[in-house]
mmCIF file with all atom_site columns, all heavy atoms in Angstrom:
data_model
loop_
_atom_site.group_PDB
_atom_site.id
_atom_site.type_symbol
_atom_site.label_atom_id
_atom_site.label_alt_id
_atom_site.label_comp_id
_atom_site.label_asym_id
_atom_site.label_entity_id
_atom_site.label_seq_id
_atom_site.pdbx_PDB_ins_code
_atom_site.Cartn_x
_atom_site.Cartn_y
_atom_site.Cartn_z
_atom_site.occupancy
_atom_site.B_iso_or_equiv
_atom_site.pdbx_formal_charge
_atom_site.auth_seq_id
_atom_site.auth_comp_id
_atom_site.auth_asym_id
_atom_site.auth_atom_id
_atom_site.pdbx_PDB_model_num
ATOM 1  N N   . VAL A 1 313 ? -7.625 -45.447 -31.782 1.00 40.00 ? 313 VAL A N   1
ATOM 2  C CA  . VAL A 1 313 ? -6.812 -46.275 -32.644 1.00 40.00 ? 313 VAL A CA  1
ATOM 3  C C   . VAL A 1 313 ? -6.763 -47.704 -32.137 1.00 40.00 ? 313 VAL A C   1
ATOM 4  O O   . VAL A 1 313 ? -6.724 -48.017 -31.035 1.00 40.00 ? 313 VAL A O   1
ATOM 5  C CB  . VAL A 1 313 ? -5.223 -45.739 -32.628 1.00 40.00 ? 313 VAL A CB  1
ATOM 6  C CG1 . VAL A 1 313 ? -4.367 -46.420 -33.481 1.00 40.00 ? 313 VAL A CG1 1
ATOM 7  C CG2 . VAL A 1 313 ? -5.285 -44.290 -33.010 1.00 40.00 ? 313 VAL A CG2 1
ATOM 8  N N   . ASP A 1 314 ? -6.717 -48.590 -33.213 1.00 44.00 ? 314 ASP A N   1
ATOM 9  C CA  . ASP A 1 314 ? -6.705 -50.114 -32.881 1.00 44.00 ? 314 ASP A CA  1
ATOM 10 C C   . ASP A 1 314 ? -5.443 -50.421 -32.173 1.00 44.00 ? 314 ASP A C   1
ATOM 11 O O   . ASP A 1 314 ? -4.329 -50.180 -32.721 1.00 44.00 ? 314 ASP A O   1
ATOM 12 C CB  . ASP A 1 314 ? -6.831 -50.866 -34.192 1.00 44.00 ? 314 ASP A CB  1
ATOM 13 C CG  . ASP A 1 314 ? -6.892 -52.369 -34.010 1.00 44.00 ? 314 ASP A CG  1
ATOM 14 O OD1 . ASP A 1 314 ? -6.956 -52.787 -32.792 1.00 44.00 ? 314 ASP A OD1 1
ATOM 15 O OD2 . ASP A 1 314 ? -6.777 -53.178 -34.914 1.00 44.00 ? 314 ASP A OD2 1
ATOM 16 N N   . PRO A 1 315 ? -5.400 -50.981 -30.941 1.00 41.00 ? 315 PRO A N   1
ATOM 17 C CA  . PRO A 1 315 ? -4.197 -51.193 -30.232 1.00 41.00 ? 315 PRO A CA  1
ATOM 18 C C   . PRO A 1 315 ? -3.350 -52.330 -30.766 1.00 41.00 ? 315 PRO A C   1
ATOM 19 O O   . PRO A 1 315 ? -2.137 -52.405 -30.606 1.00 41.00 ? 315 PRO A O   1
ATOM 20 C CB  . PRO A 1 315 ? -4.758 -51.624 -28.817 1.00 41.00 ? 315 PRO A CB  1
ATOM 21 C CG  . PRO A 1 315 ? -6.072 -52.061 -29.041 1.00 41.00 ? 315 PRO A CG  1
ATOM 22 C CD  . PRO A 1 315 ? -6.577 -51.337 -30.162 1.00 41.00 ? 315 PRO A CD  1
ATOM 23 N N   . PHE A 1 316 ? -3.936 -53.206 -31.698 1.00 40.00 ? 316 PHE A N   1
ATOM 24 C CA  . PHE A 1 316 ? -3.159 -54.308 -32.285 1.00 40.00 ? 316 PHE A CA  1
ATOM 25 C C   . PHE A 1 316 ? -2.601 -53.948 -33.594 1.00 40.00 ? 316 PHE A C   1
ATOM 26 O O   . PHE A 1 316 ? -1.814 -54.701 -34.238 1.00 40.00 ? 316 PHE A O   1
ATOM 27 C CB  . PHE A 1 316 ? -4.082 -55.588 -32.401 1.00 40.00 ? 316 PHE A CB  1
ATOM 28 C CG  . PHE A 1 316 ? -4.581 -56.015 -31.071 1.00 40.00 ? 316 PHE A CG  1
ATOM 29 C CD1 . PHE A 1 316 ? -5.741 -55.665 -30.599 1.00 40.00 ? 316 PHE A CD1 1
ATOM 30 C CD2 . PHE A 1 316 ? -3.700 -56.928 -30.194 1.00 40.00 ? 316 PHE A CD2 1
ATOM 31 C CE1 . PHE A 1 316 ? -6.189 -56.141 -29.400 1.00 40.00 ? 316 PHE A CE1 1
ATOM 32 C CE2 . PHE A 1 316 ? -4.106 -57.285 -29.071 1.00 40.00 ? 316 PHE A CE2 1
ATOM 33 C CZ  . PHE A 1 316 ? -5.391 -57.045 -28.610 1.00 40.00 ? 316 PHE A CZ  1
ATOM 34 N N   . ARG A 1 317 ? -2.963 -52.767 -34.088 1.00 42.00 ? 317 ARG A N   1
ATOM 35 C CA  . ARG A 1 317 ? -2.572 -52.330 -35.404 1.00 42.00 ? 317 ARG A CA  1
ATOM 36 C C   . ARG A 1 317 ? -1.053 -52.221 -35.546 1.00 42.00 ? 317 ARG A C   1
ATOM 37 O O   . ARG A 1 317 ? -0.451 -52.637 -36.452 1.00 42.00 ? 317 ARG A O   1
ATOM 38 C CB  . ARG A 1 317 ? -3.159 -50.991 -35.829 1.00 42.00 ? 317 ARG A CB  1
ATOM 39 C CG  . ARG A 1 317 ? -2.878 -50.619 -37.202 1.00 42.00 ? 317 ARG A CG  1
ATOM 40 C CD  . ARG A 1 317 ? -3.627 -49.328 -37.636 1.00 42.00 ? 317 ARG A CD  1
ATOM 41 N NE  . ARG A 1 317 ? -3.277 -48.935 -38.909 1.00 42.00 ? 317 ARG A NE  1
ATOM 42 C CZ  . ARG A 1 317 ? -3.814 -47.897 -39.479 1.00 42.00 ? 317 ARG A CZ  1
ATOM 43 N NH1 . ARG A 1 317 ? -4.604 -47.111 -38.885 1.00 42.00 ? 317 ARG A NH1 1
ATOM 44 N NH2 . ARG A 1 317 ? -3.428 -47.499 -40.758 1.00 42.00 ? 317 ARG A NH2 1
ATOM 45 N N   . SER A 1 318 ? -0.511 -51.583 -34.383 1.00 43.00 ? 318 SER A N   1
ATOM 46 C CA  . SER A 1 318 ? 0.868  -51.264 -34.417 1.00 43.00 ? 318 SER A CA  1
ATOM 47 C C   . SER A 1 318 ? 1.655  -52.631 -34.292 1.00 43.00 ? 318 SER A C   1
ATOM 48 O O   . SER A 1 318 ? 2.788  -52.819 -34.890 1.00 43.00 ? 318 SER A O   1
ATOM 49 C CB  . SER A 1 318 ? 1.235  -50.396 -33.218 1.00 43.00 ? 318 SER A CB  1
ATOM 50 O OG  . SER A 1 318 ? 0.929  -50.912 -32.037 1.00 43.00 ? 318 SER A OG  1
ATOM 51 N N   . VAL A 1 319 ? 1.174  -53.646 -33.518 1.00 38.00 ? 319 VAL A N   1
ATOM 52 C CA  . VAL A 1 319 ? 1.667  -54.943 -33.502 1.00 38.00 ? 319 VAL A CA  1
ATOM 53 C C   . VAL A 1 319 ? 1.779  -55.688 -34.745 1.00 38.00 ? 319 VAL A C   1
ATOM 54 O O   . VAL A 1 319 ? 2.800  -56.230 -35.166 1.00 38.00 ? 319 VAL A O   1
ATOM 55 C CB  . VAL A 1 319 ? 0.981  -55.811 -32.375 1.00 38.00 ? 319 VAL A CB  1
ATOM 56 C CG1 . VAL A 1 319 ? 1.715  -57.114 -32.280 1.00 38.00 ? 319 VAL A CG1 1
ATOM 57 C CG2 . VAL A 1 319 ? 1.034  -55.040 -31.089 1.00 38.00 ? 319 VAL A CG2 1
ATOM 58 N N   . LYS A 1 320 ? 0.715  -55.574 -35.515 1.00 43.00 ? 320 LYS A N   1
ATOM 59 C CA  . LYS A 1 320 ? 0.609  -56.192 -36.853 1.00 43.00 ? 320 LYS A CA  1
ATOM 60 C C   . LYS A 1 320 ? 1.484  -55.534 -37.881 1.00 43.00 ? 320 LYS A C   1
ATOM 61 O O   . LYS A 1 320 ? 2.293  -56.238 -38.515 1.00 43.00 ? 320 LYS A O   1
ATOM 62 C CB  . LYS A 1 320 ? -0.834 -56.152 -37.412 1.00 43.00 ? 320 LYS A CB  1
ATOM 63 C CG  . LYS A 1 320 ? -1.872 -56.857 -36.639 1.00 43.00 ? 320 LYS A CG  1
ATOM 64 C CD  . LYS A 1 320 ? -3.214 -56.649 -37.158 1.00 43.00 ? 320 LYS A CD  1
ATOM 65 C CE  . LYS A 1 320 ? -4.242 -57.327 -36.274 1.00 43.00 ? 320 LYS A CE  1
ATOM 66 N NZ  . LYS A 1 320 ? -5.623 -56.998 -36.853 1.00 43.00 ? 320 LYS A NZ  1
ATOM 67 N N   . VAL A 1 321 ? 1.636  -54.277 -37.751 1.00 39.00 ? 321 VAL A N   1
ATOM 68 C CA  . VAL A 1 321 ? 2.648  -53.481 -38.648 1.00 39.00 ? 321 VAL A CA  1
ATOM 69 C C   . VAL A 1 321 ? 3.956  -53.907 -38.336 1.00 39.00 ? 321 VAL A C   1
ATOM 70 O O   . VAL A 1 321 ? 4.911  -54.096 -39.140 1.00 39.00 ? 321 VAL A O   1
ATOM 71 C CB  . VAL A 1 321 ? 2.334  -52.053 -38.564 1.00 39.00 ? 321 VAL A CB  1
ATOM 72 C CG1 . VAL A 1 321 ? 3.365  -51.291 -39.330 1.00 39.00 ? 321 VAL A CG1 1
ATOM 73 C CG2 . VAL A 1 321 ? 1.040  -51.765 -39.059 1.00 39.00 ? 321 VAL A CG2 1
ATOM 74 N N   . CYS A 1 322 ? 4.246  -53.965 -36.978 1.00 42.00 ? 322 CYS A N   1
ATOM 75 C CA  . CYS A 1 322 ? 5.652  -54.349 -36.571 1.00 42.00 ? 322 CYS A CA  1
ATOM 76 C C   . CYS A 1 322 ? 5.970  -55.787 -37.002 1.00 42.00 ? 322 CYS A C   1
ATOM 77 O O   . CYS A 1 322 ? 7.133  -55.964 -37.389 1.00 42.00 ? 322 CYS A O   1
ATOM 78 C CB  . CYS A 1 322 ? 5.706  -54.170 -35.079 1.00 42.00 ? 322 CYS A CB  1
ATOM 79 S SG  . CYS A 1 322 ? 7.351  -54.442 -34.379 1.00 42.00 ? 322 CYS A SG  1
#
Side-chain angles (χ1 to χ4, degrees):
V313 181
D314 184 6
F316 297 99
R317 182 178 180 182
S318 59
V319 179
K320 295 176 183 178
V321 173
C322 181

